[in-house]
Amino acid sequence: MAESPLVLLTGINGFVGQHMAAYLFTKHMNVLGVGRSISCPLQHPRLQYVSGDITKLSFIKQLLLTYKVTHIIHLAGVNDVSVSYDNPAEVIYANTWGTLNILEAIRTCPDHKLRACLAVGTAYEYQLQDEPLTESSQLSPVSPYAWSKQLMSSVMQMYGHVYAIPTVVARTFNLIGPGPAAGVCAQFAKQVAMMEKGLLPPKLQVGNMDVQRDFLDVRDAVAAYFSLLQVAACPPGEIYNVCRGTAYSIRSMVSLLGQYASIPFEISIQDHLLRRQEAGIVLGDAAKLREATGWMPSIPWQQSVLDTLNYYRNL
């Protein structure tokens, strides 16, 4: 009788990690969650939680020796672009060294039963252009964060190609949706919710509203990650875009929040929210992912924005 699948999920306490765990539970998967915090906010009969630091190779090795891990979803890391400019070494270390340790632990644990190891990259590894980005688009990261993700992707490919470890990279575009996120939708929704409660003046602080982004609901993204774990014929080191395939402007997001808000608010453009070297449009093409797995996004972006606002309303 085959053993039940066990997914080692790093970064389980984060925005994507909590959604990933919840999705895995719906698929009757057992989860070994890893995070830096002493405890995990999630509670479930299929969840075991271990507190630890994935930048310590001995910690990852011990996990693989102790537990019969069949899949790895690696979400841990630093995802704040602005932080990466001020602390590039810290971000590169967290995003690259942790990944390297996971792969080294797999390579040096010959008895592992691993079927797939997925790590999450970013659209900002690409040279951004007006046309939809495909997996064959040229790479040209700008921020230290994007550079750290390109290094991570390269490490995943190297261990896949050289050591035949079943690695896959989900190169993900802008995620939105309910939960403790740090992205632009969460920042705006939090402000609106506080305005409604009388905790902030009715003036939404924004940056450049004309930029366009390929916004995908986090709940659709984790479904895509799960679908990639099931691709038996996936060549080691393969990269797949995870995106909606449609770009929306920040202005349209602000307009939606204005419709959903219970009070009117003004718009205030803040210089400190204007990012350096910001691309006008970031748009992806997920045809390769669709062809490999049949995955399609199912949550309308308007629903994602409303659900994000309702999350902050309910805090």
Side-chain angles (χ1 to χ4, degrees):
M1 183 177 178
E3 294 177 350
S4 299
L6 175 61
V7 181
L8 171 59
L9 176 58
T10 72
I12 189 173
N13 296 323
F15 171 53
V16 182
Q18 292 186 37
H19 282 285
M20 189 76 249
Y23 187 84
L24 292 170
F25 298 147
T26 69
K27 297 298 181 181
H28 309 292
M29 304 285 279
N30 297 318
V31 175
L32 176 63
V34 176
R36 287 179 176 270
S37 301
I38 297 299
S39 60
C40 177
L42 301 176
Q43 299 293 324
H44 196 278
R46 290 186 175 274
L47 172 65
Q48 299 179 76
Y49 179 73
V50 180
S51 175
D53 183 356
I54 64 168
T55 64
K56 309 295 184 186
L57 178 59
S58 58
F59 171 68
I60 298 295
K61 276 191 172 184
Q62 190 59 46
L63 288 179
L64 294 185
L65 291 170
T66 304
Y67 299 94
K68 297 178 180 179
V69 174
T70 57
H71 302 80
I72 295 175
I73 301 177
H74 176 39
L75 303 177
V78 179
N79 297 314
D80 193 318
V81 175
S82 58
V83 166
S84 75
Y85 282 103
D86 296 327
N87 299 288
E90 176 185 331
V91 172
I92 291 171
Y93 179 78
N95 291 345
T96 306
W97 196 251
T99 307
L100 186 62
N101 280 339
I102 289 171
L103 295 167
E104 265 297 278
I106 297 168
R107 184 185 71 83
T108 55
C109 291
D111 295 331
H112 72 77
K113 304 295 182 183
L114 193 70
R115 301 175 198 168
C117 176
L118 179 145
V120 176
T122 176
Y124 296 90
E125 297 172 55
Y126 290 122
Q127 178 174 306
L128 302 179
Q129 57 191 34
D130 292 340
E131 299 297 318
L133 296 161
T134 70
E135 292 81 359
S136 60
S137 295
Q138 184 174 344
L139 300 179
S140 184
V142 174
S143 69
Y145 163 72
W147 274 105
S148 76
K149 285 295 189 176
Q150 184 184 326
L151 288 169
M152 183 215 73
S153 297
S154 296
V155 167
M156 289 285 287
Q157 287 185 299
M158 187 272 280
Y159 274 81
H161 296 164
V162 177
Y163 299 106
I165 292 171
T167 59
V168 60
V169 175
R171 191 165 277 157
T172 305
F173 286 61
N174 294 72
L175 297 184
I176 61 175
V184 62
C185 187
Q187 293 174 23
F188 290 169
K190 185 176 182 179
Q191 289 182 64
V192 171
M194 293 179 73
M195 291 176 203
E196 291 178 333
K197 297 172 184 176
L199 300 176
L200 280 180
K203 186 176 290 186
L204 186 69
Q205 297 189 3
V206 304
N208 187 347
M209 295 205 299
D210 294 322
V211 298
Q212 300 176 60
R213 296 293 180 260
D214 191 327
F215 290 110
L216 177 68
D217 195 287
V218 63
R219 294 163 292 188
D220 279 330
V222 299
Y225 300 160
F226 181 79
S227 73
L228 285 171
L229 294 182
Q230 315 305 310
V231 182
C234 177
E238 201 72 4
I239 293 176
Y240 295 87
N241 283 348
V242 177
C243 58
R244 183 183 297 276
T246 304
Y248 300 93
S249 69
I250 300 299
R251 190 176 303 278
S252 64
M253 177 183 289
V254 171
S255 177
L256 271 179
L257 287 167
Q259 295 175 40
Y260 298 144
S262 61
I263 60 169
F265 56 78
E266 299 176 16
I267 307 299
S268 175
I269 297 176
Q270 301 289 309
D271 289 342
H272 73 277
L273 295 177
L274 300 173
R275 286 183 174 177
R276 66 183 88 177
Q277 299 175 298
E278 188 165 36
I281 183 170
V282 180
L283 174 62
D285 183 336
K288 181 178 176 181
L289 173 62
R290 288 197 303 272
E291 291 168 7
T293 68
W295 173 88
M296 290 282 288
S298 63
I299 302 173
W301 104 286
Q302 296 91 337
Q303 187 66 49
S304 302
V305 173
L306 178 58
D307 290 350
T308 304
L309 176 57
N310 284 336
Y311 169 79
Y312 285 100
R313 281 170 168 166
N314 295 326
L315 288 181

